[in-house]
Amino acid sequence: MSTPFPFTALVGQDDLRLALLLNAVSPAVGGVLVRGEKGTAKSTAVRALSALMPTLDVVSGCRFSCDPGSPDPGCPDGPHEPGAFETRAARMVELPVGASEDRLVGALDIERALSEGVKAFEPGLLADAHRGILYVDEVNLLHDHLVDLLLDAAAMGASYVEREGVSVRHAARFLLVGTMNPEEGELRPQLLDRFGLTVEVAASREPDQRVEVVRRRLAYDDDPAGFAARWAEEEAAVRARIVAARELLPSVRLGDGALRQIAATCAAFEVDGMRADIVMARTATALAAWAGRTEVLAEDVRQAALLALPHRRRRNPFDAPGLDEDKLDETLEEFGGSDDDDPDPDPGPDGPGGGGGQPEPDDAPQGGDDTAARPEAGEGGQPQPTGAGEQSAVRASEPFRTKVLSVPGIGEGAAGRRSRARTEHGRTTGARRPRGALTKLHLAATVQAAAPHQRARGRSGPGLVVRRDDLRQATREGREGNLVLFVVDASGSMAARQRMSAVKGAVLSLLLDAYQRRDKVGLVTFRGTEADVALPPTSSVDAAAARLETLPTGGRTPLAAGLLRAHDVLRVERLRDPARRPLVVLVTDGRATGGPEPVALAGRAARLFAADGVASVVVDCESGPVRLGLAGQLAGELGGTAVTLDELRADSIAGLVKDVQRRAA
């Protein structure tokens, strides 16, 4: 086994180390989500923590790591007789991004369960992680249904495997740690809320600290064992402190004053639900135990808020996590009376912290520049087919709920919420012979296949004689995520301030929809003489929104170049991810300028998409009393449909999805 990098040798990253240690002291805190750019020691810190975890006593031979002092009465390997046990280090189990559901929760032998009535269960990673650490690197790339299973087990402290009426339950209490790079996509808000604490990490900009990071890493790589030995004393001290804090934790008192501060803080920051209050209470208690105190202080509540609330304040996917520390301090000071000053120790739902007395408004919008107030060259909204100048970026208008745009047919892409697909989860539509291991049994089809052969197989009792060839896999239909490629006209003909603001607002609305439906997105823009890939296909919708915000306009309209660049992006992406079907959203007024026969050239480029069967939608941005209808003609060349900005809204027309499917079929 390789020697992990010592936890105490990490340079900086104080919040990360503290959050991990608090969960080691009290796993009830609910785990840690570590967000940060690549190369910031996220994985190194988690792996280093495993060496600090206290050793465990486990029942000998138990695959589920039962505690001999209080074994799980429902353990599949039980019941356990008092006696033999062994002592071992706490495990750190890593869940790979490509893991299957059976690998995570375990698998039942369905054939033996049907034919012999035996619950033959092969434990999964949740069983291996019981009483240890479960580490999920790139948790934002994990399939949603696996994240749901993972967080449900973490919340309940148990894992349930249900297959066609046969069920197995086992204890699954672990310290859950997830790491992610936000550039690669975000977690859903519901999943963010299930992590107790969140820490933002970034590489230090201090040269001296960076030098020390490199020095220690090189020393570790040259001699891991020797480097670890030099930090052994510090590691032992931290390990002993964790043990002492665990022993002190039941004695820590969370007074009414601290509880009022917690409730008032969550109310002041308008946090949804009550999970934040509970997590803050547990975190503040763990902080006091870590400091060797039996009383929770205001400083513990403040630190708990900084760790437990930032990721719960996001109102939409493009809001950056964060907390206004001045507002936090004012709230803690206002509700910082001692327990003895409390005239009513049980104030009830309308008592302090009810959210009524906060005079300050919510945080100001981020990125508060005066872009919208600055004048621009070329105002007036008239097309500039020979426009020479680049105009500064304008801010997007308020986003709105859009119509659902879907790809026709049935795909087999990554799990999502946009288009129909054959999936492992969803409604059952039929049955087939399993290819490889059986994962979703179709019971009726299996019984129907086995029934004609019972006499020939010598059946004499009530049990059904089932062979491998009788088993049938359920085929299911759910939803998939698609690649939504935005092709945005940024030429002079789109440059009127209000018009481009509305266009950006529409694209931002579609990006929000793509985030909710778990799509990949890409952004191609065209203006002047060429087209640019502003954002290659990615799962980070935030990155697309950032690119959109700074998009300048002006110049000619090389529509054909934009379409050809988009076609090339799809060709490359088809090689990388062949199962993910694309949806092209072209945002333009349909005009084309520059070069010989620009309109005819754009039409030929559009027909390439129709020939490949790519689903497409043209968002018609043409405005004014006289309209040429060029966007509609372009949609016909693409084999797609055209919608205006107004028709894109969810409350406008009812037949948009059907129209998209009919035109693309």
Side-chain angles (χ1 to χ4, degrees):
M1 182 178 177
S2 60
T3 303
F5 192 91
F7 189 85
T8 52
L10 293 170
V11 179
Q13 309 294 16
D14 295 338
D15 287 344
L16 170 59
R17 291 189 291 169
L18 178 61
L20 292 172
L21 289 169
L22 292 177
N23 274 272
V25 171
S26 175
V29 166
V32 186
L33 176 64
V34 186
R35 297 162 44 94
E37 58 197 19
K38 52 188 175 294
T40 49
K42 301 188 296 293
S43 300
T44 300
V46 177
R47 295 188 175 99
L49 178 68
S50 62
L52 296 179
M53 299 293 286
T55 57
L56 303 173
D57 292 336
V58 299
V59 174
S60 297
C62 178
R63 297 174 297 168
F64 302 88
S65 304
C66 279
D67 184 350
S70 56
D72 178 14
C75 177
D77 284 355
H80 299 299
E81 298 294 333
F85 69 91
E86 59 189 60
T87 301
R88 61 164 175 79
R91 293 173 179 157
M92 193 197 77
V93 177
E94 294 194 39
L95 174 62
V97 169
S100 65
E101 181 180 339
D102 286 346
R103 184 71 186 99
L104 176 63
V105 301
L108 288 169
D109 189 331
I110 300 297
E111 186 173 358
R112 291 189 63 192
L114 286 175
S115 59
E116 303 175 29
V118 176
K119 292 183 181 179
F121 181 67
E122 184 65 29
L125 295 176
L126 291 179
D128 293 341
H130 180 48
R131 303 176 68 199
I133 301 173
L134 182 59
Y135 172 46
V136 188
D137 193 15
E138 306 294 355
V139 65
N140 52 323
L141 303 182
L142 199 65
H143 285 293
D144 283 352
H145 73 279
L146 293 183
V147 178
D148 290 334
L149 290 170
L150 182 65
L151 294 176
D152 284 344
M156 295 186 296
S159 174
Y160 295 84
V161 183
E162 301 277 351
R163 294 288 168 83
E164 301 296 344
V166 181
S167 64
V168 171
R169 174 214 165 272
H170 65 83
R173 293 184 294 276
F174 46 80
L175 194 168
L176 175 63
V177 183
T179 58
M180 60 174 283
N181 183 348
E183 295 177 355
E184 297 173 341
E186 282 286 356
L187 279 172
R188 303 198 315 264
Q190 300 94 321
L191 302 182
L192 276 174
D193 184 57
R194 298 293 289 273
F195 281 94
L197 309 180
T198 295
V199 178
E200 296 280 336
V201 296
S204 173
R205 298 298 183 257
E206 294 293 331
D208 291 343
Q209 196 171 74
R210 294 175 75 98
V211 166
E212 187 60 25
V213 170
V214 174
R215 181 182 289 121
R216 293 186 186 183
R217 185 69 208 192
L218 293 177
Y220 170 77
D221 291 341
D222 289 341
D223 182 12
F227 184 81
R230 292 196 292 275
W231 291 88
E233 185 175 345
E234 288 85 349
E235 293 281 286
V238 173
R239 189 180 300 109
R241 188 175 175 185
I242 292 174
V243 173
R246 283 187 172 187
E247 294 174 350
L248 183 62
L249 187 64
S251 303
V252 176
R253 177 176 176 269
L254 182 64
D256 289 339
L259 276 173
R260 282 198 305 274
Q261 287 184 317
I262 290 171
T265 300
C266 292
F269 285 101
E270 300 180 0
V271 176
D272 295 333
M274 295 298 299
R275 185 175 284 118
D277 304 63
I278 296 170
V279 170
M280 274 190 65
R282 291 171 174 168
T283 304
T285 303
L287 280 161
W290 177 248
R293 289 183 271 102
T294 57
E295 186 79 17
V296 173
L297 305 180
E299 63 194 64
D300 300 322
V301 175
R302 185 183 193 279
Q303 184 63 57
L306 293 174
L307 293 173
L309 295 188
H311 62 296
R312 294 184 165 91
R313 291 200 61 249
R314 300 186 76 192
R315 288 294 177 250
N316 68 66
F318 307 138
D319 289 341
L323 210 64
D324 184 341
E325 295 193 31
D326 291 337
K327 183 175 180 179
L328 173 61
D329 290 337
E330 291 176 7
T331 303
L332 293 176
E333 183 178 353
E334 180 179 352
F335 291 87
S338 66
D339 292 348
D340 295 336
D341 297 334
D342 183 14
D344 182 5
D346 185 15
D350 296 325
Q358 299 302 318
E360 296 184 357
D362 201 357
D363 297 346
Q366 297 190 3
D369 59 277
D370 59 350
T371 304
R374 290 198 301 265
E376 290 182 352
E379 292 185 357
Q382 297 302 317
Q384 304 288 334
T386 60
E390 177 179 299
Q391 302 178 23
S392 60
V394 299
R395 303 184 70 175
S397 63
E398 283 297 315
F400 52 84
R401 189 166 64 91
T402 66
K403 285 288 185 181
V404 179
L405 307 178
S406 62
V407 178
I410 300 179
E412 294 182 345
R417 297 180 177 181
R418 183 171 296 279
S419 305
R420 295 172 57 199
R422 300 180 186 91
T423 61
E424 289 294 318
H425 299 270
R427 63 185 182 90
T428 300
T429 58
R432 60 171 174 80
R433 292 181 182 273
R435 295 189 290 267
L438 178 70
T439 56
K440 299 292 182 182
L441 178 74
H442 194 296
L443 182 58
T446 298
V447 172
Q448 187 176 10
H453 309 290
Q454 296 305 295
R455 181 176 297 177
R457 292 173 182 174
R459 172 185 170 185
S460 57
L464 190 67
V465 181
V466 179
R467 300 285 187 261
R468 174 69 186 176
D469 290 343
D470 301 328
L471 298 178
R472 294 294 182 269
Q473 176 90 18
T475 57
R476 302 192 176 191
E477 182 178 308
R479 312 295 288 185
E480 68 176 0
N482 298 112
L483 166 61
V484 182
L485 181 62
F486 294 93
V487 186
V488 180
D489 184 349
S491 66
S493 67
M494 303 280 287
R497 175 174 293 279
Q498 290 185 349
R499 187 179 180 193
M500 197 59 197
S501 177
V503 167
K504 284 189 175 183
V507 177
L508 185 63
S509 303
L510 289 167
L511 284 172
L512 282 166
D513 183 68
Y515 168 82
Q516 294 164 354
R517 300 186 188 282
R518 314 303 290 168
D519 294 316
K520 290 179 72 173
V521 297
L523 178 61
V524 173
T525 65
F526 56 94
R527 54 179 293 273
T529 60
E530 60 184 12
D532 295 316
V533 181
L535 183 71
T538 176
S539 295
S540 178
V541 178
D542 297 48
R547 300 290 197 282
L548 181 69
E549 186 70 23
T550 58
L551 178 65
T553 57
R556 295 182 181 271
T557 310
L559 178 56
L563 291 172
L564 291 173
R565 181 58 64 91
H567 188 268
D568 189 57
V569 169
L570 293 184
R571 179 184 59 81
V572 174
E573 191 64 19
R574 194 176 294 117
L575 297 175
R576 293 175 177 169
D577 192 357
R580 191 181 290 267
R581 298 185 295 161
L583 173 64
V584 172
V585 178
L586 175 60
V587 184
T588 182
D589 58 8
R591 289 179 171 86
T593 60
E597 299 184 345
V599 175
L601 186 60
R604 288 197 293 270
R607 287 192 287 274
L608 294 175
F609 292 86
D612 291 342
V614 176
S616 59
V617 176
V618 178
V619 180
D620 184 359
C621 302
E622 192 174 24
S623 60
V626 179
R627 304 193 181 193
L628 303 178
L630 297 176
Q633 297 175 23
L634 186 61
E637 300 280 7
L638 285 165
T641 189
V643 295
T644 65
L645 290 174
D646 289 337
E647 290 172 343
L648 193 61
R649 294 179 179 271
D651 55 357
S652 57
I653 56 175
L656 177 59
V657 177
K658 295 180 180 178
D659 198 22
V660 171
Q661 294 175 339
R662 183 179 67 252
R663 295 291 297 274

